[in-house]
Amino acid sequence: MDCPTTASLWIDFLDGKLSVDQAQKLEEHLRSCASCRLSHQELQQTIQGLVHLPEEEPGPELRVEFTAMLEREKAILASQPLVKAKVVRTWPWKKISSVAAVLLLVSIAYWLGKYNTKQSFNAESISPIESSNPAELQTLELLKNDLASTRLVALHRSQDLAKPSTVLLDALIDKLNFDEHLNVRMAAAEALAHFPQESKARTALIQALQEAEDPSLQIELIHLLVYLNEKKAIPVMKNLLVNKTLPDYVIEQVKIGLPQII
Amino acid sequence: MSKRSDLLTDEELMLSVSRGNLDNMRFLFDRYHLRVYNYLLKMTRDRAGSQDLCQEVFYKALKYRESYRGSLFAPWLFKIAQNAYFNYYQAQKSKRQGLDVLQRFPATENPGREQNEAIEQLYWAIEQLNEKDKSLLLLNRLQGIQYQDLAEMVGSNTGAIKTKIHRIIAKLRVHFFKHN
């Protein structure tokens, strides 16, 4: 055989990834070719050297800090059901109104379905705005609540849903863009980022970054888009870099985030 | 009866963490903190910095637990580690400190011996790679993240990642053997 032109074949050989037949041919070749023997030997030493680089133990404080952090997070989580319980207690009519909302939405969905069926017999073409998931309907209802804390609970709950309907996505996007409370807008951004498979959610996050004026929201959106590895956010982030009105610390986050989208 | 937590797979543990059983993160910390710390240590060559970053990785794994959907745990965790490192690297760069003025630890406790010289030389060769290549190489060769999972991590395909890693190793060999 001729000398392999790239290191790739030798690396596969060293990794044991070649067929017996291919490996035998290379071994035979090695016996007769000094130059390939050198390549093979050097690659072998490089790869083995890497594997044998010494490992180190971190200091004991790493575990201590980890345990403290875990306890903090557990305490935060434990405080959340209390918020939910309070909501139910403070608004005893909530369940009733939720049931009413379910009935209303189901009847609207039924009506829309019936209307669409007249136009087409294809069940798939029935409007996607219907939502049959009770948990989702309740979340939608809570999102309309006047109390910001209730809307925050709803946003938190929405993250438990495996697949959001278009109605819910629209409601989350509405909260992201128009809620009067910054905390709710930021929580809506985080809720949308929980549905990375929904292109509508991703697009909304990019658009919000384009339009957001509050630095905290801008930073939250930058973090989320970087976390989602959203390539379509790159042009928007590049624009932010040349925006003279942005605070330095927002620009700094863009500079840190941009190279991470790969 | 449910399985004992220490017998659960990494993925089962992380899924239960994502559902709110945060205590199971302890088992994942036990299984992974050495690996994450050593990956970061080789990227930064800064012990204190690696320890802080390692802490940050487990914090983020907890914070973003609900985004975990049951994929292989190691690539998921190392993606967080890689992002944490790139953040750190950019921050260091923008502080105009430059990584080369940071105090690097010596590669071995007892330099001078032939084997230790080889290790120093290999570290030097690794330092010649760019940050992304360095990370891919260490994740693949030291942390055993397979080509397929790396491809998913960086949004590429398996074939392209394999070729890339082979090229990085070939480049490393040149630095390792030819720099004198």
Side-chain angles (χ1 to χ4, degrees), chain A residues 191-210:
Chain A
L192 283 164
H194 273 79
F195 305 115
Q197 71 279 16
E198 301 291 338
S199 63
K200 198 171 185 179
R202 287 170 169 264
T203 311
L205 290 171
I206 299 170
Q207 232 163 20
L209 179 60
Q210 211 161 7

Side-chain angles (χ1 to χ4, degrees), chain A residues 11-130:
Chain A
I11 297 171
D12 274 339
F13 178 63
L14 289 163
D15 286 347
K17 294 274 166 68
L18 295 183
S19 68
V20 177
D21 190 41
Q22 275 177 308
Q24 267 173 358
K25 276 186 191 153
L26 274 181
E27 275 166 24
E28 272 169 34
H29 178 75
L30 273 182
R31 280 195 279 275
S32 62
C33 178
S35 141
C36 283
R37 263 203 307 275
L38 181 68
S39 299
H40 169 259
Q41 203 184 10
E42 289 189 356
L43 281 167
Q44 190 173 28
Q45 285 181 27
T46 307
I47 290 171
Q48 284 184 354
L50 275 174
V51 177
H52 292 115
L53 281 176
E55 292 242 302
E56 286 192 24
E57 291 265 353
E61 60 280 8
L62 179 64
R63 184 179 292 275
V64 174
E65 284 165 17
F66 166 77
T67 309
M69 180 271 287
L70 185 63
E71 292 307 320
R72 273 197 309 275
E73 290 301 308
K74 277 166 64 185
I76 294 172
L77 187 66
S79 69
Q80 284 174 355
L82 290 177
V83 177
K84 284 181 192 174
K86 194 176 161 200
V87 170
V88 173
R89 220 174 29 243
T90 321
W91 302 91
W93 43 267
K94 188 106 315 272
K95 276 188 184 167
I96 302 164
S97 74
S98 298
V99 171
V102 170
L103 288 175
L104 181 68
L105 276 168
V106 166
S107 61
I108 291 172
Y110 171 76
W111 182 82
L112 279 169
K114 204 174 160 189
Y115 177 73
N116 279 348
T117 319
K118 278 183 195 164
Q119 296 177 321
S120 156
F121 287 105
N122 180 358
E124 295 299 316
S125 72
I126 292 176
S127 167
I129 72 157
E130 66 182 276

Side-chain angles (χ1 to χ4, degrees), chain A residues 141-159:
Chain A
E141 191 53 28
L142 291 177
L143 274 177
K144 293 179 201 153
N145 196 287
D146 289 341
L147 286 179
S149 62
T150 306
R151 297 201 294 282
L152 282 171
V153 169
L155 288 166
H156 186 74
R157 277 192 196 176
S158 73
Q159 296 167 17

